[in-house]
Amino acid sequence: MAEQFKVGDHVGWNSEAGQVSGHIIRVHTSAVDWHGYTHHATEKEPQYEIRSDKTSHVALHKGKALHLIDD
């Protein structure tokens, strides 16, 4: 099972542009429509809404794509 994160956690992930980091602003535990696509989420495998530190872009990711960043 993927690591569980919480609102406020500083996390990083890989993107097409390289390493990205941001803060979790919301945790989704049920399916959510996001930019025309349904992202499936459950209590055991939530989707994390994250605001990028650099661009303020908001993205959704599963926990297995994320790693915690120590501040």
Side-chain angles (χ1 to χ4, degrees):
M1 185 170 79
E3 184 173 351
Q4 296 285 314
F5 301 99
K6 64 186 182 309
V7 171
D9 282 351
H10 194 206
V11 295
W13 66 96
N14 291 320
S15 77
E16 299 84 23
Q19 275 294 118
V20 181
S21 64
H23 288 85
I24 295 175
I25 58 174
R26 190 167 176 196
V27 178
H28 296 273
T29 56
S30 60
V32 59
D33 288 329
W34 187 262
H35 299 284
Y37 177 77
T38 300
H39 290 261
H40 300 284
T42 64
E43 287 283 337
K44 287 188 175 184
E45 291 190 46
Q47 289 271 353
Y48 297 96
E49 193 169 328
I50 308 159
R51 183 176 312 278
S52 168
D53 291 335
K54 189 173 183 179
T55 66
S56 294
H57 174 78
V58 177
L60 283 180
H61 292 289
K62 290 185 178 182
K64 65 183 177 183
L66 305 173
H67 60 273
L68 194 60
I69 296 175
D70 295 325
D71 288 322

